[in-house]
Amino acid sequence: MNDQPELPPTTDSRAVRVTGGHRLEGTVAVQGSKNIALHLYAASLLADEPLTLTGAPEILDTLVCAEILNHTGTPTKVVGDRFETTPAAAWHPVIPEQLGRRIRTTAVMAAALLARAGQVSFPLPGGDAFCRRMIDRHLAAMEAAGATVAVTGTEVKARIASWDSAAFTTDVLTRSWRPSLGATVTAMLLAARLRGTSTILNPSVEPEVLVTAAVLAAGGVGITWEGATALHVSGTDRISGGAFQIPPDRLEAATLALAAAITGGTVQLDNFPTSEFPDGLVAVFADAGIELVPVNGGTLARCPAGPRVVQMATGPHPAFPTDVQPQLTAFLTQAPGTSRIEERVYPERATHIGPLRALGAAVNADGATITVRGASPLAAADMAGEDIRAATAALIAALAAEGTSTIRGTYHLRRGYGAMMPKLASLGARLTIDQEMP
């Protein structure tokens, strides 16, 4: 079953034109979490009954994941914000390269297929291009679960010869000494179908992991936490389905707050409680002059005294999220003085520096340290965003620039945000989308 619209190509000739200098004011709703949804789409492969995810973000990555599930045997349809799956009658455990290279969670989906079919072939992951996507911890989890894994060129093949395999233990700590979010979910999905209790050492405690664990537990999988030290997963041969709500996207909520703040405006996030923001983000926003005020179950975001410089670092949850760092960098271009950001999750994450400098920002990267000197007078420029958050950083800065900027890379914006342009327009942003650009 495949009722999805045809996927667009991975390049997009369209561009966003943004006329800066207009204050953003108003109320918007926050979409379902992109990153949580992608991991739940993989987990849905394990269900032995129909499963529905509501609040699914209406983004390109959702359609790509639905295509992968359909191709590999799990009938899937996307209707509005509903992602609906029916258990597979037969498995075709091969993730096509043209699909697997479009998302970052390819190895996680492959783990679910390996758990169900005993074998899988998949390409190395794609998605954003700001750094290489390391999957060594994913492959180590597969091997720990009893699989033979072979990597040839850009293809990975894994096979479990016998389902007599016992429970396993795997460590998901990366070479940079931080827990791998994706590998934690990979290990959980494998353990969920094996007999006995498996142990994941140094698990990630990001919301993506916690929500996926909750869905598996609701389906009958035993989940026991020892804080951030270990996660124990007791497998089962039958996992029930049901209906689950995808939480709102903390990354989009932060992005909308920064977009309003850089213009001197105010935005009310009517379905995003202030308590859902990570503690590290709340602290950095406060230092930067951004107030997050609880209002009627949502959050009012404003920057009444203007941007202030910060000295901060990204890190695993509940620290400041790396996926908000580019947007924060754009905001800090308007803070008088010198801000410094240590990027401790993805040290190579600096693809947003070029577009910001094109606008006139005094920003540079030296290794993992980003320095921003402001306040910079920004002027319209023609830019391109090479990944989701870099394109978003360019968009935020353009809201504060004089004149009309052109931002190419709407494909990446559509991968991460289902309605960012209409939301900004509803708040008072002056923008248009050109259908064709040379």
Side-chain angles (χ1 to χ4, degrees), residues 22-401:
H22 300 278
R23 186 188 303 266
L24 301 191
E25 301 278 356
T27 301
V28 293
V30 177
Q31 71 177 19
S33 170
K34 167 187 178 288
N35 289 346
I36 291 176
L38 293 183
H39 291 88
L40 292 182
Y41 299 157
S44 69
L45 284 160
L46 301 187
D48 295 292
E49 300 172 1
L51 185 147
T52 298
L53 300 170
T54 59
E58 298 179 47
I59 57 176
L60 295 185
D61 279 15
T62 290
L63 299 182
V64 171
C65 289
E67 285 287 324
I68 290 174
L69 265 64
N70 277 305
H71 181 88
T72 55
T74 298
T76 303
K77 63 180 180 179
V78 178
V79 181
D81 70 344
R82 294 171 62 87
F83 189 95
E84 302 173 354
T85 63
T86 303
W91 296 101
H92 178 62
V94 178
I95 299 178
E97 181 174 6
Q98 68 271 24
L99 294 176
R101 294 286 293 169
R102 295 179 72 159
I103 57 172
R104 62 188 291 185
T105 53
T106 306
V108 181
M109 301 197 81
L113 286 166
L114 178 62
R116 294 310 306 263
Q119 61 181 318
V120 68
S121 298
F122 63 100
L124 296 178
D128 291 331
F130 57 82
C131 70
R132 292 181 61 196
R133 294 290 184 187
M134 303 299 294
I135 62 169
D136 56 307
R137 292 295 86 203
H138 295 261
L139 302 185
M142 293 178 186
E143 290 175 336
T148 300
V149 178
V151 182
T152 305
T154 60
E155 183 183 46
V156 181
K157 292 186 177 182
R159 176 185 292 272
I160 295 179
S162 171
W163 280 104
D164 292 331
S165 301
F168 63 92
T169 298
T170 190
D171 193 330
V172 296
L173 204 63
T174 67
R175 298 172 188 173
S176 58
W177 300 103
R178 63 177 180 84
S180 169
L181 185 167
T184 302
V185 178
T186 281
M188 274 201 302
L189 300 186
L190 292 166
R193 302 296 304 199
L194 288 178
R195 295 194 310 274
T197 299
S198 298
T199 298
I200 305 168
L201 300 175
N202 300 302
S204 167
V205 293
E206 298 278 349
E208 289 79 358
V209 175
L210 301 180
V211 174
T212 303
V215 169
L216 291 176
V221 179
I223 302 288
T224 306
W225 289 89
E226 288 185 41
T229 302
L231 169 60
H232 304 290
V233 182
S234 299
T236 177
D237 59 3
R238 182 171 183 81
I239 297 176
S240 60
F244 303 91
Q245 176 75 32
I246 297 172
D249 196 320
R250 65 195 186 280
L251 306 177
E252 185 187 54
T255 298
L256 289 165
L258 287 164
I262 200 172
T263 68
T266 301
V267 62
Q268 182 170 327
L269 309 169
D270 69 357
N271 65 329
F272 194 89
T274 308
S275 59
E276 291 299 307
F277 283 110
D279 292 344
L281 183 145
V282 173
V284 171
F285 271 24
D287 289 344
I290 300 174
E291 297 179 352
L292 300 172
V293 182
V295 176
N296 298 326
T299 298
L300 191 72
R302 60 194 179 196
C303 188
R308 298 196 298 254
V309 299
V310 299
Q311 316 294 317
M312 53 80 66
T314 64
H317 188 80
F320 193 93
T322 180
D323 282 347
V324 183
Q325 181 262 107
Q327 301 93 301
L328 176 69
T329 301
F331 170 79
L332 292 174
T333 65
Q334 300 308 293
T338 300
S339 296
R340 287 186 177 84
I341 300 170
E342 288 289 330
E343 177 50 72
R344 295 180 180 172
V345 178
Y346 294 118
E348 303 145 333
R349 184 168 216 160
T351 51
H352 53 300
I353 301 300
L356 295 180
R357 294 179 70 169
L359 286 162
V363 56
N364 63 74
D366 182 6
T369 301
I370 295 172
T371 302
V372 187
R373 294 180 176 86
S376 296
L378 304 181
D382 188 328
M383 303 162 285
E386 301 299 329
D387 58 75
I388 295 172
R389 312 305 172 184
T392 310
L395 178 61
I396 287 175
L399 292 171

